[in-house]
């Protein structure tokens, strides 16, 4: 009799354990089916091939004169001021002063004018040469102040934030809105010359490399056509983040964060350099900025550990969340095992 009861109890326990294992297996299979479609696009999206720069665009050229072609609204405005207002005014003033000097040399030299004039002043001329420069300066000041105000207008709410930190002698770029990962950017070494950065490849070893002294191993990547809140600071001495073709120059000061809006109008690769004397390798810390369409920028973000689309959870956390929600309460707390044990005891 006792042996029969014992066998019955063993049967109940085996049945309960089998039921629990079946439930667990079904839950795991359901979670796998839900997670697989979500994980597949993320894996597919996390691919990136650096863009090949366009010669002469976003970089200096041999024998170049003047300002580089601009690819930002502020840069286009600044270039217009330079070409349409400042240069013509400077040329006119310079030619006018030169003409006055030549006229004085020819008209009032000792041979042409043996008896010197005793005129002490001329009220009309004095008023004119006082008021005319004032009017010229006011005419230049109005668009200049407008340009300064636009350069330091705060970024709109919700703008992507990127932090650039100057170091001796390389740059680091942090993406706090995309999982807070960091990119370290070193200048590529020059073939046949002393090594500048140990462990970094030579320029020209990849098909997408740009000019020597300007190309880096890891570029600063940004989405094109979006206002970006760029934060610039430094870890050791004063550096300066400067990209001429984007009208961008902002000092990085240790212990201080400077802010400016960066907006790139067209996809491409844009080069710059540290523009503040910062030590022995000051000339070896270039800036390479790659502007990509938003979908390609998101794919680049997902190639980094912990990378996430703006404000979203990283892929690993997003995949873990459905699993936690799908797990039955009984399995998480062990209540199902307690019920099985009670049934067996009965």
């Amino acid at each position: 009799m006792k042996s029969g009861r014992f066998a019955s109890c063993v049967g109940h326990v085996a049945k309960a354990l089998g039921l629990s294992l079946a439930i667990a297996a079904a839950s795991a299979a359901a979670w796998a089916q839900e997670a697989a479609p979500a994980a597949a696009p993320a894996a597919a999206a996390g691919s990136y091939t650096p863009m090949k720069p366009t010669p002469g665009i976003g970089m200096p050229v041999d024998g170049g004169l003047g300002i580089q072609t601009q690819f930002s609204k502020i840069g286009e405005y600044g270039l217009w001021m330079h070409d349409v207002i400042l240069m013509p005014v400077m040329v006119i003033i310079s030619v006018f002063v030169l003409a006055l000097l030549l006229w004085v040399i020819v008209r009032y030299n000792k041979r042409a004018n043996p008896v010197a004039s005793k005129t002490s002043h001329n009220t009309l001329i004095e008023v004119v040469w006082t008021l005319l420069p004032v009017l010229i300066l006011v005419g230049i000041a109005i668009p200049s102040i407008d340009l300064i105000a636009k350069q330091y207008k705060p970024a709109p709410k919700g703008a992507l934030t990127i932090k650039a930190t100057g170091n001796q002698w390389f740059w680091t770029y942090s993406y706090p809105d995309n999982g807070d990962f960091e990119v370290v950017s070193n200048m590529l070494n020059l073939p046949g010359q002393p090594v500048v950065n140990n462990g970094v490849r030579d320029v020209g070893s990849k098909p997408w490399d740009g000019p020597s002294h300007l190309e880096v191993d890891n570029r600063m990547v940004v989405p094109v056509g979006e206002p970006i809140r760029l934060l610039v600071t430094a870890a050791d001495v004063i550096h300066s983040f400067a990209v001429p073709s984007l009208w961008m120059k902002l000092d990085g000061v240790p212990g201080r964060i400077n802010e400016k809006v960066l907006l790139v109008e067209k996809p491409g690769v844009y080069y710059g350099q540290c523009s503040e004397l910062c030590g022995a390798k000051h000339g070896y810390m270039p800036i390479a900025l790659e502007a990509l369409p938003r979908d390609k920028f998101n794919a680049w973000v997902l190639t980094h550990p912990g990378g996430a689309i703006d404000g979203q959870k990283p892929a690993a956390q997003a995949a873990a969340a459905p699993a936690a929600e799908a797990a039955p309460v009984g399995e998480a707390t062990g209540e199902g095992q307690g019920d099985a044990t009670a049934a067996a005891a009965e």
Side-chain angles (χ1 to χ4, degrees), residues 36-301:
S47 59
Y48 163 72
T49 300
M51 180 184 294
K52 187 175 182 179
T54 303
I57 300 298
M59 66 181 75
V61 296
D62 291 340
L65 297 174
I67 299 175
Q68 293 183 23
T69 304
Q70 295 299 302
F71 295 91
S72 68
K73 293 291 185 184
I74 296 296
E76 291 170 357
Y77 186 20
L79 184 60
W80 171 83
M81 269 199 62
H82 176 270
D83 292 345
V84 177
I85 297 179
L86 296 181
M87 288 302 295
V89 168
M90 288 191 291
V91 170
I92 291 171
I93 292 175
S94 299
V95 171
F96 177 69
V97 172
L98 177 62
L100 284 178
L101 287 173
L102 294 175
W103 182 60
V104 169
I105 291 171
V106 173
R107 176 66 180 81
Y108 295 103
N109 62 69
K110 183 178 181 180
R111 182 171 52 194
N113 189 34
V115 180
S117 172
K118 297 182 188 236
T119 302
S120 60
H121 71 276
N122 185 302
T123 303
L124 177 61
I125 293 178
E126 291 174 358
V127 171
V128 170
W129 76 32
T130 301
L131 291 182
L132 187 59
V134 170
L135 294 176
I136 293 174
L137 291 175
V138 170
I140 294 175
I142 292 174
S144 297
I145 293 172
D146 183 45
L147 176 61
I148 292 173
K150 288 181 177 179
Q151 286 187 82
Y152 292 96
K153 183 179 179 181
K157 184 177 181 181
L160 177 68
T161 298
I162 301 177
K163 180 183 176 184
T165 304
N167 307 267
Q168 290 180 310
W169 290 271
F170 59 93
W171 293 92
T172 56
Y173 306 115
S174 303
Y175 292 76
D177 294 339
N178 299 105
D180 205 21
F181 64 87
E182 185 177 78
V183 175
V184 180
S185 181
N186 291 282
M187 190 189 89
L188 298 183
N189 292 311
L190 309 175
Q193 298 189 24
V195 174
V196 177
N197 294 308
N198 292 323
V200 177
R201 62 184 178 85
D202 289 346
V203 66
S205 57
K206 298 292 184 181
W208 54 78
D209 284 352
S212 63
H213 294 86
L214 291 177
E215 192 56 85
V216 299
D217 55 353
N218 296 302
R219 296 169 178 168
M220 174 184 178
V221 180
V222 304
V224 72
E226 297 182 21
I228 298 165
R229 181 183 294 104
L230 181 64
L231 308 178
V232 179
T233 187
D236 32 52
V237 299
I238 298 177
H239 299 274
S240 186
F241 185 92
V243 183
S245 59
L246 300 177
W247 205 264
M248 171 62 64
K249 186 177 186 296
L250 194 61
D251 285 350
V253 182
R256 176 175 176 177
I257 295 180
N258 292 325
E259 178 181 330
K260 198 173 181 182
V261 175
L262 171 67
L263 192 152
V264 187
E265 291 185 312
K266 296 180 180 179
V269 184
Y270 307 92
Y271 295 96
Q273 290 177 304
C274 175
S275 296
E276 185 71 37
L277 188 59
C278 58
K281 292 184 181 179
H282 162 67
Y284 298 96
M285 53 179 302
I287 299 162
L289 188 152
E290 183 174 338
L292 298 175
R294 174 45 93 157
D295 57 340
K296 294 184 178 179
F297 171 77
N298 290 344
W300 173 81
V301 166

Side-chain angles (χ1 to χ4, degrees), residues 16-42:
L17 288 174
L19 181 60
S20 298
L21 291 173
I23 293 174
S27 300
W31 174 84
Q33 291 178 355
E34 293 178 2

